[in-house]
mmCIF file of all heavy atoms in Angstrom:
data_model
loop_
_atom_site.group_PDB
_atom_site.id
_atom_site.type_symbol
_atom_site.label_atom_id
_atom_site.label_comp_id
_atom_site.label_asym_id
_atom_site.label_seq_id
_atom_site.Cartn_x
_atom_site.Cartn_y
_atom_site.Cartn_z
ATOM 1 N N VAL A 1118 98.436 106.756 93.912
ATOM 2 C CA VAL A 1118 97.034 106.621 93.407
ATOM 3 C C VAL A 1118 96.842 107.230 92.002
ATOM 4 O O VAL A 1118 96.166 106.650 91.143
ATOM 5 C CB VAL A 1118 96.024 107.207 94.393
ATOM 6 C CG1 VAL A 1118 94.628 107.210 93.849
ATOM 7 C CG2 VAL A 1118 96.077 106.418 95.764
ATOM 8 N N GLY A 1119 97.532 108.414 91.833
ATOM 9 C CA GLY A 1119 97.426 109.030 90.531
ATOM 10 C C GLY A 1119 98.075 108.156 89.479
ATOM 11 O O GLY A 1119 97.514 108.049 88.329
ATOM 12 N N LEU A 1121 98.395 104.902 89.641
ATOM 13 C CA LEU A 1121 97.534 103.703 89.389
ATOM 14 C C LEU A 1121 96.438 104.009 88.416
ATOM 15 O O LEU A 1121 96.082 103.213 87.572
ATOM 16 C CB LEU A 1121 96.908 103.317 90.794
ATOM 17 C CG LEU A 1121 95.842 102.182 90.818
ATOM 18 C CD1 LEU A 1121 96.542 100.898 90.317
ATOM 19 C CD2 LEU A 1121 95.269 102.013 92.162
ATOM 20 N N HIS A 1122 95.789 105.165 88.595
ATOM 21 C CA HIS A 1122 94.767 105.562 87.732
ATOM 22 C C HIS A 1122 95.168 105.841 86.298
ATOM 23 O O HIS A 1122 94.588 105.346 85.313
ATOM 24 C CB HIS A 1122 94.083 106.924 88.233
ATOM 25 C CG HIS A 1122 92.877 107.271 87.382
ATOM 26 N ND1 HIS A 1122 92.969 108.143 86.318
ATOM 27 C CD2 HIS A 1122 91.535 106.937 87.510
ATOM 28 C CE1 HIS A 1122 91.807 108.323 85.754
ATOM 29 N NE2 HIS A 1122 90.922 107.609 86.393
ATOM 30 N N GLU A 1123 96.365 106.481 86.177
ATOM 31 C CA GLU A 1123 96.865 106.791 84.886
ATOM 32 C C GLU A 1123 97.330 105.523 84.028
ATOM 33 O O GLU A 1123 97.107 105.327 82.837
ATOM 34 C CB GLU A 1123 98.062 107.780 84.950
ATOM 35 C CG GLU A 1123 98.655 108.166 83.618
ATOM 36 C CD GLU A 1123 99.784 109.171 83.857
ATOM 37 O OE1 GLU A 1123 99.971 109.690 84.887
ATOM 38 O OE2 GLU A 1123 100.516 109.331 82.835
ATOM 39 N N GLN A 1124 98.083 104.608 84.759
ATOM 40 C CA GLN A 1124 98.673 103.509 84.101
ATOM 41 C C GLN A 1124 97.817 102.263 84.034
ATOM 42 O O GLN A 1124 98.000 101.467 83.144
ATOM 43 C CB GLN A 1124 100.038 103.219 84.796
ATOM 44 C CG GLN A 1124 101.045 104.402 84.754
ATOM 45 C CD GLN A 1124 102.230 104.142 85.627
ATOM 46 O OE1 GLN A 1124 102.469 103.061 86.100
ATOM 47 N NE2 GLN A 1124 103.024 105.172 85.761
ATOM 48 N N VAL A 1125 96.990 102.030 85.032
ATOM 49 C CA VAL A 1125 96.280 100.791 85.139
ATOM 50 C C VAL A 1125 94.754 100.936 84.823
ATOM 51 O O VAL A 1125 94.202 100.246 83.941
ATOM 52 C CB VAL A 1125 96.378 100.172 86.555
ATOM 53 C CG1 VAL A 1125 95.741 98.830 86.634
ATOM 54 C CG2 VAL A 1125 97.913 99.924 86.778
ATOM 55 N N LEU A 1126 94.115 101.847 85.546
ATOM 56 C CA LEU A 1126 92.642 101.955 85.406
ATOM 57 C C LEU A 1126 92.256 102.781 84.208
ATOM 58 O O LEU A 1126 91.312 102.373 83.478
ATOM 59 C CB LEU A 1126 92.069 102.692 86.659
ATOM 60 C CG LEU A 1126 92.347 102.022 87.983
ATOM 61 C CD1 LEU A 1126 91.701 102.808 89.172
ATOM 62 C CD2 LEU A 1126 91.751 100.581 87.981
ATOM 63 N N GLY A 1127 92.911 103.929 83.892
ATOM 64 C CA GLY A 1127 92.571 104.698 82.820
ATOM 65 C C GLY A 1127 92.476 103.994 81.442
ATOM 66 O O GLY A 1127 91.495 104.077 80.738
ATOM 67 N N PRO A 1128 93.590 103.214 81.073
ATOM 68 C CA PRO A 1128 93.566 102.511 79.802
ATOM 69 C C PRO A 1128 92.473 101.473 79.715
ATOM 70 O O PRO A 1128 92.094 101.067 78.683
ATOM 71 C CB PRO A 1128 94.924 101.803 79.818
ATOM 72 C CG PRO A 1128 95.770 102.688 80.649
ATOM 73 C CD PRO A 1128 94.893 103.156 81.751
ATOM 74 N N ARG A 1129 91.873 100.980 80.874
ATOM 75 C CA ARG A 1129 90.834 100.055 80.895
ATOM 76 C C ARG A 1129 89.439 100.691 81.034
ATOM 77 O O ARG A 1129 88.460 100.023 81.100
ATOM 78 C CB ARG A 1129 91.049 99.060 82.049
ATOM 79 C CG ARG A 1129 92.219 98.085 81.760
ATOM 80 C CD ARG A 1129 92.575 97.363 82.998
ATOM 81 N NE ARG A 1129 93.671 96.401 82.800
ATOM 82 C CZ ARG A 1129 94.914 96.673 82.674
ATOM 83 N NH1 ARG A 1129 95.283 97.968 82.791
ATOM 84 N NH2 ARG A 1129 95.811 95.719 82.457
ATOM 85 N N GLY A 1130 89.501 102.027 80.970
ATOM 86 C CA GLY A 1130 88.104 102.787 81.042
ATOM 87 C C GLY A 1130 87.546 102.638 82.474
ATOM 88 O O GLY A 1130 86.321 102.917 82.634
ATOM 89 N N LEU A 1131 88.346 102.418 83.500
ATOM 90 C CA LEU A 1131 87.877 102.369 84.830
ATOM 91 C C LEU A 1131 88.216 103.563 85.679
ATOM 92 O O LEU A 1131 89.275 104.252 85.408
ATOM 93 C CB LEU A 1131 88.428 101.108 85.579
ATOM 94 C CG LEU A 1131 88.076 99.744 84.985
ATOM 95 C CD1 LEU A 1131 88.858 98.615 85.637
ATOM 96 C CD2 LEU A 1131 86.577 99.443 85.101
ATOM 97 N N THR A 1132 87.397 103.768 86.707
ATOM 98 C CA THR A 1132 87.718 104.857 87.649
ATOM 99 C C THR A 1132 88.282 104.186 88.957
ATOM 100 O O THR A 1132 88.348 102.940 89.065
ATOM 101 C CB THR A 1132 86.440 105.615 88.047
ATOM 102 O OG1 THR A 1132 85.567 104.748 88.770
ATOM 103 C CG2 THR A 1132 85.762 106.193 86.824
ATOM 104 N N LEU A 1133 88.684 105.055 89.835
ATOM 105 C CA LEU A 1133 89.284 104.493 91.135
ATOM 106 C C LEU A 1133 88.195 103.699 91.916
ATOM 107 O O LEU A 1133 88.541 102.821 92.680
ATOM 108 C CB LEU A 1133 89.813 105.671 92.080
ATOM 109 C CG LEU A 1133 91.004 106.277 91.556
ATOM 110 C CD1 LEU A 1133 91.427 107.514 92.414
ATOM 111 C CD2 LEU A 1133 92.239 105.298 91.538
ATOM 112 N N ALA A 1134 86.955 103.998 91.665
ATOM 113 C CA ALA A 1134 85.894 103.204 92.406
ATOM 114 C C ALA A 1134 85.569 101.924 91.646
ATOM 115 O O ALA A 1134 84.696 101.158 92.060
ATOM 116 C CB ALA A 1134 84.671 104.014 92.471
ATOM 117 N N GLY A 1135 86.234 101.710 90.466
ATOM 118 C CA GLY A 1135 85.967 100.445 89.779
ATOM 119 C C GLY A 1135 84.822 100.484 88.839
ATOM 120 O O GLY A 1135 84.380 99.409 88.354
ATOM 121 N N LEU A 1136 84.355 101.576 88.462
ATOM 122 C CA LEU A 1136 83.213 101.741 87.476
ATOM 123 C C LEU A 1136 83.680 102.279 86.161
ATOM 124 O O LEU A 1136 84.535 103.187 86.163
ATOM 125 C CB LEU A 1136 82.135 102.664 88.090
ATOM 126 C CG LEU A 1136 81.399 102.170 89.298
ATOM 127 C CD1 LEU A 1136 80.488 103.287 89.847
ATOM 128 C CD2 LEU A 1136 80.615 100.987 89.070
ATOM 129 N N THR A 1137 83.156 101.844 85.149
ATOM 130 C CA THR A 1137 83.493 102.411 83.778
ATOM 131 C C THR A 1137 82.679 103.721 83.568
ATOM 132 O O THR A 1137 81.673 103.947 84.207
ATOM 133 C CB THR A 1137 83.170 101.409 82.652
ATOM 134 O OG1 THR A 1137 81.774 101.191 82.587
ATOM 135 C CG2 THR A 1137 83.907 100.082 82.871
ATOM 136 N N GLN A 1138 83.051 104.496 82.582
ATOM 137 C CA GLN A 1138 82.330 105.684 82.353
ATOM 138 C C GLN A 1138 80.948 105.393 81.875
ATOM 139 O O GLN A 1138 79.914 106.104 82.295
ATOM 140 C CB GLN A 1138 83.001 106.503 81.288
ATOM 141 C CG GLN A 1138 82.372 107.903 81.030
ATOM 142 C CD GLN A 1138 82.361 108.680 82.284
ATOM 143 O OE1 GLN A 1138 83.341 108.877 82.957
ATOM 144 N NE2 GLN A 1138 81.244 109.250 82.668
ATOM 145 N N ARG A 1139 80.675 104.299 81.173
ATOM 146 C CA ARG A 1139 79.303 103.899 80.740
ATOM 147 C C ARG A 1139 78.432 103.571 81.896
ATOM 148 O O ARG A 1139 77.304 103.961 82.038
ATOM 149 C CB ARG A 1139 79.354 102.783 79.840
ATOM 150 C CG ARG A 1139 77.994 102.261 79.288
ATOM 151 C CD ARG A 1139 78.014 101.309 78.176
ATOM 152 N NE ARG A 1139 78.526 99.986 78.579
ATOM 153 C CZ ARG A 1139 78.478 98.965 77.830
ATOM 154 N NH1 ARG A 1139 78.070 99.046 76.569
ATOM 155 N NH2 ARG A 1139 78.954 97.744 78.218
ATOM 156 N N GLU A 1140 78.996 102.873 82.963
ATOM 157 C CA GLU A 1140 78.290 102.533 84.163
ATOM 158 C C GLU A 1140 77.927 103.660 84.934
ATOM 159 O O GLU A 1140 76.864 103.852 85.547
ATOM 160 C CB GLU A 1140 79.135 101.552 85.022
ATOM 161 C CG GLU A 1140 79.307 100.136 84.387
ATOM 162 C CD GLU A 1140 80.377 99.295 85.053
ATOM 163 O OE1 GLU A 1140 81.267 99.819 85.774
ATOM 164 O OE2 GLU A 1140 80.334 98.026 84.859
ATOM 165 N N ILE A 1141 78.828 104.717 84.967
ATOM 166 C CA ILE A 1141 78.540 105.957 85.741
ATOM 167 C C ILE A 1141 77.453 106.646 84.998
ATOM 168 O O ILE A 1141 76.542 107.202 85.676
ATOM 169 C CB ILE A 1141 79.896 106.886 85.708
ATOM 170 C CG1 ILE A 1141 80.897 106.166 86.709
ATOM 171 C CG2 ILE A 1141 79.461 108.154 86.321
ATOM 172 C CD1 ILE A 1141 82.212 106.921 86.571
ATOM 173 N N VAL A 1174 77.023 95.842 87.686
ATOM 174 C CA VAL A 1174 77.431 96.685 88.817
ATOM 175 C C VAL A 1174 76.961 96.154 90.172
ATOM 176 O O VAL A 1174 77.722 95.999 91.109
ATOM 177 C CB VAL A 1174 76.909 98.147 88.680
ATOM 178 C CG1 VAL A 1174 77.090 98.947 89.902
ATOM 179 C CG2 VAL A 1174 77.552 98.795 87.444
ATOM 180 N N ARG A 1177 78.966 92.815 90.874
ATOM 181 C CA ARG A 1177 80.410 93.089 91.140
ATOM 182 C C ARG A 1177 80.609 93.679 92.539
ATOM 183 O O ARG A 1177 81.595 93.363 93.231
ATOM 184 C CB ARG A 1177 81.043 93.990 90.103
ATOM 185 C CG ARG A 1177 82.559 94.131 90.149
ATOM 186 C CD ARG A 1177 83.126 94.506 88.804
ATOM 187 N NE ARG A 1177 82.924 95.944 88.651
ATOM 188 C CZ ARG A 1177 82.121 96.541 87.671
ATOM 189 N NH1 ARG A 1177 81.567 95.754 86.762
ATOM 190 N NH2 ARG A 1177 82.007 97.804 87.570
ATOM 191 N N PHE A 1178 79.771 94.546 92.982
ATOM 192 C CA PHE A 1178 79.989 95.217 94.276
ATOM 193 C C PHE A 1178 78.991 94.695 95.382
ATOM 194 O O PHE A 1178 78.852 95.272 96.328
ATOM 195 C CB PHE A 1178 79.789 96.714 94.080
ATOM 196 C CG PHE A 1178 80.831 97.367 93.201
ATOM 197 C CD1 PHE A 1178 80.572 97.655 91.930
ATOM 198 C CD2 PHE A 1178 82.081 97.580 93.667
ATOM 199 C CE1 PHE A 1178 81.496 98.225 91.070
ATOM 200 C CE2 PHE A 1178 83.036 98.110 92.870
ATOM 201 C CZ PHE A 1178 82.790 98.472 91.553
ATOM 202 N N LEU A 1195 80.843 109.655 92.669
ATOM 203 C CA LEU A 1195 80.837 109.539 91.208
ATOM 204 C C LEU A 1195 79.664 110.223 90.553
ATOM 205 O O LEU A 1195 79.627 110.589 89.383
ATOM 206 C CB LEU A 1195 80.843 108.081 90.775
ATOM 207 C CG LEU A 1195 82.219 107.337 91.158
ATOM 208 C CD1 LEU A 1195 82.111 105.861 90.831
ATOM 209 C CD2 LEU A 1195 83.350 107.900 90.275
#
Side-chain angles (χ1 to χ4, degrees):
V1118 171
L1121 174 66
H1122 183 269
E1123 179 181 347
Q1124 298 172 8
V1125 180
L1126 300 179
R1129 292 167 174 77
L1131 295 172
T1132 65
L1133 289 173
L1136 294 175
T1137 65
Q1138 187 58 52
R1139 181 169 70 173
E1140 290 168 341
I1141 293 172
V1174 171
R1177 189 160 74 246
F1178 296 100
L1195 293 172

